[in-house]
């Protein structure tokens, strides 16, 4: 009924328009200038006005710290028991399809959203060029480089989700009869475009930004290195071309050779402390989304992701619940994995003598938090919820890393008081990306060991043992990457690009486990318990193009299997 009404309404308005036009005299009284062009004139009339436009582009960076559904829940690092959330309802159920494409936290890989952001970049680049005479040369050069970097960043979000995508470099306008629909570029073409934007940006950007939060040379090179690493990985590099690994290694090495960044190492807890607002823009941060201080301008991260019950009061939603699989990948403090007979691991004392990053990242049964002792054991205030009937953890764990212990959950939910950055790229990732790419390109040479060991040394771990094969070093690097970057929205991209989501031991086709802890005499017993049966299909390593976009643009070809 609504469609019929809409049709007749449109016919009526069209008829009214014809009558109105035919009844008007032929003069210029109705030749009103399009307001959109007036807006462009005003916006780009001065540097200060144009800066507002650029600032809005920066504001388009996904606001992940204000999202309660993280990619960690899509991957095997965390499990959220809410059956209606994307992690459980769509991704782990194997039901990703063109009509329900998950877009990630902060809608980070939304097709429509990113092309809207890319259009903003293209508008700036076009209009700034037209108005160049109004700006100083230094301002113009830097802002063009920043926006070029941001365009590459938004394209990288599309590429790592969908593969090859349409490349659009000017604001599209169909008012002149032009065709605004574009076919998908290939994966190689898309990567080459992002690389070119990153190179152009890196050539003009400063090594250190005059204002925190702005793009730098290192940010552009790091983005390029990440995209090249993804493109070299098995998902995109189906022919396993060694040259792609070499290229990724070289770009990440160029960031290392800048000498601008280092691992944040101010204290014994530097690994975790770097994510707190007091340490925003530290020496390890390469690029981040910042938050302005002021009422409701921060984030709700502690309230969305923290432990549910603290000191007898429900504080948070508990949406970051580490899985047993992640817990088991933390090594012992002697550097050995728990599967090594010489590690000293005791399954009935599983949280003793673990590496430092475990204690700085995980809230486990017996851990202290805000003056309370977290008890996920049966009978505890945060007793593991095996039936998904509450917000309490389904795994027996909560996250500590990236959360500020000085902020209570309720305060976080109500006031958004955290001004901690959402770190997109940091130096430890560059080291591990270099090590991975270099190992795949030439094997575990001395530079690979050096890069991995730098990350391990900060957390008081011994060096990786010598004499490893390429395959053995790959296992070390992948475990190191999982642990070092846990809860930073990296794992979802890694498991897909490595093609380890499916198969006999696929991380999204094998069951998810938690830890059931029960009293036994004067002690406790620890029993891993299955909490969820995952379903995932290989085709879902690439997201499907949303059906609405396919319907609008007939030149788009859907990803295989959908």
């Amino acid at each position: 009924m609504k469609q019929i009404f809409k049709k007749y309404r449109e016919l009526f308005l069209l008829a009214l328009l014809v009558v109105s036009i035919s009844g008007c005299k032929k003069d210029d009284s109705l030749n009103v200038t399009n307001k959109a062009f007036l807006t462009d004139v005003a916006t780009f009339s001065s540097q200060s006005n144009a800066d507002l436009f650029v600032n809005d582009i920066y504001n388009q960076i996904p606001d992940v710290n204000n999202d309660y559904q993280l990619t960690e829940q899509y991957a095997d690092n965390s499990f959220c028991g809410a059956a209606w959330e994307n992690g459980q309802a769509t991704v782990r159920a194997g039901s990703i399809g063109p009509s329900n494409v998950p877009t990630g936290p902060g809608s980070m890989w939304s097709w429509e959203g990113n092309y809207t952001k890319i259009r903003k970049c293209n508008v700036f680049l076009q209009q700034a060029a037209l108005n160049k005479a109004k700006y100083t040369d230094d301002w113009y050069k830097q802002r063009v480089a920043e926006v070029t970097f941001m365009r590459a960043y938004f394209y990288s979000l599309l590429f790592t989700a969908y593969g090859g995508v349409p490349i659009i470099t000017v604001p599209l306008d169909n008012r002149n009869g032009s065709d605004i629909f574009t076919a998908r570029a290939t994966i190689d073409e898309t990567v080459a475009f992002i690389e070119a934007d990153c190179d152009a940006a890196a050539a003009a950007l400063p090594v250190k930004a005059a204002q925190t939060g702005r793009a730098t040379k290192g940010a552009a090179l790091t983005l390029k290195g990440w995209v090249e690493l993804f493109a070299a990985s098995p998902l995109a590099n189906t022919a396993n071309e060694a040259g792609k690994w070499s290229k990724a290694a070289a770009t990440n090495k160029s960031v290392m050779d800048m000498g601008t960044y280092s691992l944040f190492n101010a204290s014994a807890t530097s690994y975790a402390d770097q994510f707190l607002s007091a340490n925003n823009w530290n020496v390890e941060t390469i690029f981040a989304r910042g938050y302005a201080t002021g009422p409701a301008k921060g984030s709700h991260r502690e309230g969305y992701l923290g432990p549910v019950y603290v000191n007898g009061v429900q504080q948070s939603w508990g949406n970051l619940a580490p899985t047993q699989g992640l817990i088991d990948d933390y090594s012992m403090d002697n550097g050995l994995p728990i599967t090594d007979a010489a590690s000293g691991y005791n399954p009935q004392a599983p949280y003793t003598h673990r590496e430092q990053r475990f204690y700085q990242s995980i809230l486990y049964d017996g851990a202290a938090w805000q003056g309370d002792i977290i008890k996920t054991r049966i009978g505890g205030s945060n007793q593991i919820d095996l039936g998904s009937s509450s917000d309490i953890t389904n795994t027996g764990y909560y996250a500590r890393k990236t959360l500020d212990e000085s902020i209570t959950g309720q305060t976080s939910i109500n006031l958004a008081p955290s001004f901690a950055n959402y770190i997109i790229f940091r130096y430890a990732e560059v080291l591990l990306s270099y090590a991975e790419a270099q190992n795949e390109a030439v094997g575990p040479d001395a530079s690979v060991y050096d890069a991995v060991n730098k990350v391990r040394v900060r957390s008081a771990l011994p060096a990786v043992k010598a004499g490893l094969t390429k395959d053995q070093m790959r296992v070390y690097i992948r475990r190191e990457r999982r642990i070092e970057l846990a809860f930073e929205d990296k794992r979802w991209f890694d498991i897909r690009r490595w093609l380890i989501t499916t198969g006999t031991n696929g991380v999204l086709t094998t069951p998810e486990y938690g830890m059931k802890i029960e009293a036994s005499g004067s002690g406790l017993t620890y029993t891993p318990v299955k909490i969820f049966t995952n379903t995932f299909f290989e085709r879902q390593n690439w997201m499907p193009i949303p059906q609405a976009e396919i319907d609008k643009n007939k030149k788009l070809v859907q990803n295989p299997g959908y």
Side-chain angles (χ1 to χ4, degrees), residues 121-234:
C121 295
N122 289 337
V123 166
F124 175 84
L125 295 174
Q126 180 191 71
Q127 292 297 318
L130 292 173
N131 293 275
K132 184 177 179 181
K134 300 172 183 175
Y135 316 133
T136 66
D137 289 343
D138 288 345
W139 181 93
Y140 177 79
K141 178 182 177 182
Q142 181 166 333
R143 292 297 184 266
V144 166
E146 289 177 30
V147 172
T148 300
F149 162 78
M150 293 301 295
R151 182 171 68 177
Y153 173 66
F154 297 135
Y155 267 114
S156 78
L157 297 177
L158 290 169
F159 162 63
T160 53
Y162 303 100
V165 296
I167 302 299
I168 301 169
T169 59
V170 296
L172 299 179
D173 187 348
N174 65 352
R175 292 174 299 178
N176 58 9
S178 61
D179 185 0
I180 64 171
F181 296 114
T182 306
R184 297 176 67 180
T186 65
I187 285 177
D188 286 347
E189 290 168 343
T190 302
V191 171
F193 176 80
I194 296 171
E195 288 174 320
D197 263 5
C198 288
D199 285 339
L205 288 171
V207 172
K208 291 188 177 181
Q211 294 175 299
T212 55
R214 292 195 179 276
T216 60
K217 179 183 182 72
L221 292 175
T222 301
L223 173 61
K224 180 186 177 186
W226 160 240
V227 169
E228 289 175 341
L229 184 72
F230 196 101
S233 302

